[in-house]
Amino acid sequence: MPYSEPGKTKFQIDLRRHLRNQDICDNLIHLICEIAEASKYVINAVRTGDLGVAGTSNLYGEEQLALDVLSDRIIKKRLIHSGVVCNIASEEMDEIFQAQADAKGLYSVAYDPLDGSSLVDVNLAVGTIVSIYEGCNLLQKGRNQVAAMYILYGPRVSLVYSVGKGVHEFTMNHLMEYTLSRENVTMKPEGDIYAPGGLRNKYPEGTEKFVRYLENKGSKLRYSGGFVPDINQVLMKGKGIFMYPALNGSPNGKLRVLFELNPMAYLIEHAGGAATDGRNPILDIEPQSLDQRAPIFIGCKNDVHKAMEFVNGN
């Protein structure tokens, strides 16, 4: 295909056009594009917004930043007015919000509006994470997702999505349009970087041995404290592993299955990687509540399998 042909080079393919080629229904295309539109307002809030505390706490007793609240409102309002969403769950809400009663042909969305928001005031990258299911049931296995995506607000704003047919990256241009930058992102079998969350002195013995194994084989530590930028690094480099393991005193780790683990596991698996809680694939966990947490090892398949061996004492 000649590069001179108008609108045909990969740098000219916008998000909506790319979605139309994925053989998915119009409602899902519309929904993903609405979330992309909402992210434009979120990044504006991140760049110009008040960094002060909003004076409220979320469900988990964590101090909410004003940006958390604002980002949540921006995305929730867009989802409600999209006309294609029945149920909405946000990490900042304590219960599921019903946008429409009839679930036929509609979708349910779980999202973390601004993951890593405490990093904004020190100018580190943050992001939005989104999980999409058909119908009204949000408490089901992550393997049943019909789409997952995240938006990374870094030096560049990038959107990464999958509808089960590869993982694709789009970058926001100066007109605030998302254009295709990388198609069919894939993971190598093994990597040489690792991003370990949690206090290491609280790691169980098996996890500590796994970290020493990584260090001995020459893996470099790359951890920002933000789930979205750390997963993005592993995914876009196509190598490495992120982990937030079970800790002594916190056997379920820190990250939430519905809002963080499921969408990221979906993306990593569709790029050829793997994600586990140490025993079972993340995508096979059936969450019993909105706030359910689980440990995670996510990244290159060989590294994740090796983590399982150490964690289980094999």
Side-chain angles (χ1 to χ4, degrees), residues 109-266:
V109 179
Y111 66 96
D112 186 344
L114 200 63
D115 188 82
S117 57
S118 62
L119 301 174
V120 172
D121 60 352
V122 290
N123 210 23
L124 291 174
V126 295
T128 297
I129 312 173
V130 183
S131 174
I132 302 173
Y133 295 86
E134 283 182 331
C136 62
N137 182 18
L138 280 165
L139 294 177
Q140 56 179 308
K141 293 178 182 179
R143 206 166 293 286
N144 297 338
Q145 292 170 102
V146 293
M149 59 194 290
Y150 65 79
I151 300 110
L152 174 64
Y153 310 112
R156 295 180 303 159
V157 178
S158 60
L159 181 154
V160 176
Y161 90 90
S162 179
V163 291
K165 301 171 184 180
V167 178
H168 316 291
E169 181 195 37
F170 290 73
T171 303
M172 185 183 286
N173 63 21
H174 66 287
L175 298 174
M176 297 192 85
E177 301 164 334
Y178 283 109
T179 56
L180 182 64
S181 47
R182 290 185 64 182
E183 196 168 31
N184 296 313
V185 177
T186 55
M187 300 284 298
K188 298 180 179 70
E190 191 170 331
D192 60 0
I193 61 175
Y194 72 109
L199 289 173
R200 187 164 170 179
N201 63 3
K202 292 189 176 182
Y203 281 7
E205 183 182 359
T207 306
E208 174 61 27
K209 287 181 177 178
F210 174 60
V211 172
R212 288 203 296 269
Y213 158 81
L214 291 172
E215 291 172 341
N216 289 336
K217 78 167 189 170
S219 293
K220 298 177 286 293
L221 192 152
R222 295 286 185 270
Y223 181 71
S224 74
F227 191 42
V228 178
D230 285 342
I231 289 293
N232 187 72
Q233 176 176 227
V234 168
L235 181 59
M236 292 304 147
K237 287 184 179 294
K239 59 183 182 178
I241 185 169
F242 173 96
M243 61 191 217
Y244 202 110
L247 303 175
N248 294 327
S250 302
N252 294 321
K254 175 186 177 184
L255 301 177
R256 284 127 201 162
V257 174
L258 196 64
F259 305 109
E260 295 159 316
L261 303 191
N262 274 345
M264 291 307 198
Y266 185 89

Side-chain angles (χ1 to χ4, degrees), residues 297-308:
F297 299 85
I298 180 170
C300 294
K301 273 187 176 177
N302 291 356
D303 292 332
V304 170
H305 293 159
K306 184 63 74 171
M308 292 176 71

Side-chain angles (χ1 to χ4, degrees), residues 88-104:
I88 300 169
S90 162
E91 197 171 48
E92 305 303 330
M93 299 189 295
D94 58 3
E95 59 186 18
I96 292 172
F97 177 86
Q98 186 180 73
Q100 294 190 51
D102 184 10
K104 186 177 180 182

